[in-house]
Amino acid sequence: MSKQPIGIFDSGVGGTSIWKELNLLLPLENTIYLADSKNAPYGEKTKEEIVSLSKKNIDFLISKNCKLIVVACNTATTNAIKVLRETYNIPIIGIEPAIKPAALQTKTNVIGILATKGTLSSELFHRATDLFANKIKVVEQVGEGLVQLIESGKLNSEEIKALLKIYLKPMIEANIDYLVLGCTHYPYLIPQLLELLPEHIKIIDSGKAVALQTKAVLEQHLLLNTSHNKPELMFYSNRETYVLSSLLEETYQIDYLDF
Ligand code: DGL
């Protein structure tokens, strides 16, 4: 049982930022990463579409014998996690913007969040903000266009830099001291963000928390892989695979999936 892989999916390549944290914390685990890049961005889709795409991804991962699913996408988590947990009887871990730690640590009482339209308009996000950030100001910004540019391999482009400049301006003016990255594609923007943000503003994301939660749930269900064989790390994508491979630090085989 425990040798079964962990299944991870995202609307595209961004969830690899989560896969890296998982692989770092749980290096013995076999993993299968699925990039549904053909359907990115999820952030512009309806809740129903996001639920249906998420189910299709999970069906594929379950067909590959996965023991646990990590939804490495804030948009899919905030729009679909409840239905997904009701539908499947294996553990499902989600990712949500790190509003709580940012709200607890802010000194200026103003935090910024950069996320997709789908995440920022979700009920789950509103509930988290009402619960954890009701005494502070939250400057919300949709990162329109960022996922598309990253998916097309334009991570280090002037276009991305120009968009980030526009998106950060109101946050900097509002005196944020924490910037929450509410999309798993965005940790790849950290070098550009550091160039644009004043030094005192800290960037926070949920990658490590997701890895820790995954470990805890595996332990709880007695599903940790204790075998010391070299783990099998598999990647699937339904678009050209060069962007995905450019984000992985080592060379892995990526299989094209026609779905
Ligand atoms: N990585 C996804 C997320 O965390 C991107 C969503 C999208 O495809 O718009 O929200």
Side-chain angles (χ1 to χ4, degrees):
M1 183 72 171
S2 62
K3 283 189 191 152
Q4 289 175 261
I6 296 176
I8 302 139
F9 81 86
D10 178 37
S11 61
V13 298
T16 52
S17 63
I18 307 305
W19 174 85
K20 286 176 188 172
E21 297 287 356
L22 285 166
N23 186 243
L24 198 66
L25 186 70
L26 299 163
L28 301 179
E29 294 295 330
N30 298 308
T31 60
I32 301 183
Y33 182 90
L34 169 60
D36 187 19
S37 292
K38 197 175 82 185
N39 293 301
Y42 281 13
E44 306 290 318
K45 296 192 170 8
T46 63
K47 188 180 161 86
E48 289 68 32
E49 286 171 317
I50 297 168
V51 168
S52 145
L53 290 167
S54 300
K55 281 187 179 169
K56 185 184 65 140
N57 296 334
I58 295 182
D59 287 340
F60 171 77
L61 292 169
I62 288 181
S63 79
K64 295 281 172 197
N65 202 25
C66 288
K67 60 183 173 186
L68 172 146
I69 303 293
V70 177
V71 182
C73 176
N74 291 261
T75 312
T77 301
T78 52
N79 285 276
I81 196 91
K82 189 165 176 279
V83 184
L84 299 177
R85 289 194 173 128
E86 284 163 4
T87 309
Y88 299 97
N89 59 7
I90 62 169
I92 301 181
I93 310 289
I95 179 163
E96 284 182 58
I99 291 291
K100 187 180 172 185
L104 285 172
Q105 293 173 76
T106 178
K107 300 269 184 312
T108 61
N109 287 330
V110 191
I111 63 170
I113 164 140
L114 190 61
T116 68
K117 187 167 138 216
T119 293
L120 293 178
S121 60
S122 69
E123 219 181 288
L124 205 65
F125 174 74
H126 286 137
R127 247 189 286 143
T129 321
D130 288 348
L131 193 64
F132 303 119
N134 55 5
K135 296 207 170 63
I136 62 163
K137 185 170 169 194
V138 181
V139 184
E140 296 177 15
Q141 178 64 55
V142 174
E144 210 179 323
L146 297 175
V147 168
Q148 291 93 319
L149 286 166
I150 297 170
E151 286 292 324
S152 5
K154 294 185 179 156
L155 182 58
N156 296 311
S157 63
E158 283 306 314
E159 274 161 287
I160 283 223
K161 218 175 177 172
L163 284 180
L164 288 177
K165 234 184 220 168
I166 297 169
Y167 297 159
L168 295 177
K169 194 165 178 272
M171 300 194 189
I172 297 170
E173 284 173 0
N175 198 24
I176 65 160
D177 57 355
Y178 277 87
L179 170 63
V180 178
L181 301 184
C183 169
T184 56
H185 283 69
Y186 299 168
Y188 288 114
L189 299 171
I190 289 175
Q192 287 95 311
L193 289 168
L194 288 174
E195 267 179 43
L196 295 168
L197 286 171
E199 249 172 54
H200 70 278
I201 299 180
K202 295 179 190 68
I203 300 172
I204 186 163
D205 69 66
S206 320
K208 276 200 179 64
V210 170
L212 287 167
Q213 175 67 2
T214 304
K215 184 168 184 242
V217 172
L218 286 174
E219 276 166 353
Q220 198 187 324
H221 291 261
L222 304 177
L223 285 173
L224 272 179
N225 188 5
T226 47
S227 134
H228 281 261
N229 294 342
K230 193 173 185 291
E232 217 184 336
L233 308 172
M234 301 174 74
F235 295 85
Y236 290 92
S237 168
N238 53 11
R239 244 182 83 175
E240 317 82 72
T241 55
Y242 72 94
V243 182
L244 182 55
S245 73
S246 73
L247 294 178
L248 298 168
E249 272 125 44
E250 286 174 45
T251 310
Y252 298 102
Q253 187 186 327
I254 304 173
D255 287 324
Y256 175 73
L257 197 65
D258 187 14
F259 106 151

